[in-house]
Amino acid sequence: MRAADGAGRGGDAGDKRDEQGGVAGVSGVVGVIVKRASSIAPDNFDAFCIRGLKQFLNLEYASKRLIDRQNVPVRHHRNARKQAKQIGFCLALGLEYMENSKVATLATKPVLLYYSAMNFALAELLMKQSGDSSLTLARAEHSHHGLSFGAPSNVSRDATTLQQMSACKAKPMVSSGKRRGTFELWHRTAREHPVIGVHSDQDGKTSGPIPLMIGGDERFELLDEGGVSLLECIKLIPSLSEELARYGAYSSYARGIISSTKSGECHSISVLVHPGPEEIISGVSENILVSPALVPGIEIEEFQSGFALTANIYRGQKVNLSLPMVTSLTSGEVRICGVKTSINEFGAFLAALFILSNLCRYYADFWMERISAHAGIAMIAESLCSEYFKRVPALVLAELEGTLFVRR
């Protein structure tokens, strides 16, 4: 993350196109970073996000968004419409799988939500990537989920909830030394969302929520070939922190507030990190990076647990302030990641549901026994499915519109 005044630059779209739609060559993608923010009334938020996704089922609307996002020249608008139509198809499937899951039990619900997330991932990458990633062309090399399942084969029947979750993994699909599949395509243009908060000027006027810092246009580190566990995925979904606490685990995020003020020639960004597990607080502090020129303008106040940091940036200074990945939940509430990760929040939902869907489909003895016993892994899976409806539509809409929507 870096201050919004230093927003990342999109790549050059180039002129080369193919007849399947979009810009030819993934290296030519533009507009992959979410740079805007808007707050929505809490009682209308979920319905707003669903309506927003359904708007992209309209071909004219989706085409205009795609053309604007990728700066498509007029001569290639026909190809853009083809890709926009595919976005609509994927969204329609994603929404239908999600709706159908409402009447399913936990025995099969993760399967339906996984295929919902898979189609949402396709819609996202079609909006942000070139025609090389279109449904038509991608099948040649990426006709696979992009993940393989690491089964809980060595877990004893009396293993704890956390041990069971640690044993179930989603591993990247690697064939002939190359990563392939939908997950790989999605991961290429997965980015951090902006940090949003309230800005105060020297006259005491406030505005917000506005993007205070923008994620860089850099790919996440590749997912380790050993995979990511179900436990790691759940820890990367901030709204499941209380559920984890019941089983003696904690979220990978620290609670915090980020704001900015301007007084004369000085623009200050303040980061308040609330008390939390020492490992996470340390992870946050160790991954706040500043350029040497900014060091004299840094103020730090340490608490028994947590800390407050203020970076004072003066006009004309060429400095860099970088934070770990931040998830904005409301217009004034953020979660700051205290671990190194290769996926964002949507990626955590996608990988977690991939794992659970495999348990549903291929490990009926393991899965049904734990459901009937109301075991911890089943209860956490139930909470994950519930949170899907509250978080995933908003995350996907942000990628399609280029605007992060949060509850006011």
Side-chain angles (χ1 to χ4, degrees):
M1 291 287 176
R2 52 185 172 185
D5 288 342
R9 300 183 300 276
D12 180 10
D15 286 328
K16 184 181 178 183
R17 304 272 167 161
D18 66 60
E19 291 306 310
Q20 302 299 329
V23 189
V26 170
S27 60
V29 296
V30 296
V32 299
I33 305 174
V34 177
K35 296 182 179 180
R36 300 185 299 270
S38 180
S39 63
I40 308 298
D43 57 354
N44 187 47
F45 186 79
D46 294 343
F48 171 87
C49 292
I50 294 298
R51 288 197 304 271
L53 293 178
K54 288 183 176 179
Q55 189 68 52
F56 283 85
L57 303 182
N58 179 287
L59 181 57
E60 296 305 318
Y61 186 88
S63 297
K64 185 178 187 309
R65 282 290 186 267
L66 178 61
I67 288 167
D68 291 346
R69 194 78 176 271
Q70 296 205 26
N71 298 324
V72 181
V74 173
R75 66 184 181 277
H76 295 301
H77 281 190
R78 182 172 65 88
N79 287 338
R81 285 176 63 87
K82 291 180 181 179
Q83 192 141 320
K85 184 179 289 187
Q86 293 182 356
I87 291 172
F89 292 156
C90 293
L91 287 174
L93 285 171
L95 289 166
E96 184 160 329
Y97 276 122
M98 186 171 72
E99 186 64 26
N100 289 343
S101 76
K102 293 179 180 178
V103 296
T105 69
L106 190 59
T108 59
K109 189 187 294 269
V111 178
L112 295 169
L113 289 181
Y114 169 66
Y115 282 108
S116 172
M118 174 67 73
N119 279 281
F120 284 153
L122 287 167
E124 177 185 324
L125 69 88
L126 286 167
M127 174 60 73
K128 299 196 293 185
Q129 295 183 23
S130 73
D132 291 346
S133 299
S134 69
L135 298 182
T136 310
L137 294 184
R139 291 190 191 103
E141 188 175 353
H142 298 281
S143 56
H144 188 278
H145 296 278
L147 294 170
S148 60
F149 182 51
S153 55
N154 297 322
V155 177
S156 64
R157 299 180 70 86
D158 59 351
T160 67
T161 295
L162 301 183
Q163 288 171 336
Q164 292 172 24
M165 294 173 63
S166 296
C168 301
K169 294 190 174 185
K171 301 179 180 181
M173 172 64 178
V174 181
S175 175
S176 301
K178 294 183 65 176
R179 296 185 180 227
R180 305 176 190 275
T182 299
F183 180 85
E184 164 61 16
L185 284 178
W186 168 81
H187 194 268
R188 290 176 183 178
T189 46
R191 299 291 187 268
E192 297 180 35
H193 281 169
V195 177
I196 66 172
V198 174
H199 174 75
S200 304
D201 64 22
Q202 55 194 6
D203 299 321
K205 297 179 180 179
T206 60
S207 57
I210 62 171
L212 303 179
M213 305 186 77
I214 301 294
D217 187 7
E218 298 173 354
R219 181 177 179 173
F220 283 95
E221 291 185 8
L222 293 178
L223 187 64
D224 186 87
E225 290 192 18
V228 59
S229 72
L230 178 59
L231 179 59
E232 290 171 309
C233 291
I234 299 300
K235 286 185 170 188
L236 288 170
I237 299 173
S239 53
L240 293 175
S241 59
E242 293 181 2
E243 190 70 27
L244 280 169
R246 295 177 181 175
Y247 302 95
Y250 48 81
S251 171
S252 291
Y253 290 89
R255 296 181 300 114
I257 298 173
I258 301 178
S259 60
S260 75
T261 58
K262 186 174 183 181
S263 178
E265 298 292 303
C266 182
H267 176 206
S268 300
I269 295 179
S270 299
V271 180
L272 174 63
V273 178
H274 293 305
E278 182 179 351
E279 177 185 354
I280 300 301
I281 301 300
S282 296
V284 171
S285 64
E286 290 170 3
N287 286 286
I288 296 178
L289 306 177
V290 300
S291 56
L294 185 55
V295 171
I298 296 293
E299 301 172 11
I300 299 176
E301 182 180 1
E302 295 186 83
F303 311 131
Q304 186 172 359
S305 176
F307 62 92
L309 179 147
T310 300
N312 299 303
I313 306 169
Y314 292 88
R315 185 186 296 274
Q317 272 191 306
K318 293 185 177 181
V319 298
N320 183 57
L321 170 64
S322 176
L323 298 183
M325 183 172 68
V326 174
T327 295
S328 299
L329 298 180
T330 69
S331 56
E333 180 184 16
V334 301
R335 297 289 187 269
I336 309 172
C337 193
V339 300
K340 289 194 177 293
T341 178
S342 300
I343 51 176
N344 56 22
E345 185 181 357
F346 177 82
F349 272 104
L350 182 62
L353 287 165
F354 172 80
I355 292 168
L356 291 172
S357 70
N358 274 273
L359 291 177
C360 294
R361 290 177 290 171
Y362 306 119
Y363 292 84
D365 51 342
F366 177 94
W367 188 235
M368 296 305 293
E369 184 176 281
R370 280 152 183 81
I371 290 176
S372 61
H374 298 280
I377 190 171
M379 295 299 95
I380 289 177
E382 188 75 70
S383 296
L384 171 73
C385 292
S386 295
E387 286 302 315
Y388 185 94
F389 295 91
K390 300 174 185 177
R391 290 295 296 159
V392 170
L395 296 172
V396 177
L397 185 60
E399 299 296 343
L400 297 180
E401 291 284 12
T403 301
L404 178 60
F405 298 97
V406 296
R407 288 176 169 83
R408 188 170 299 143

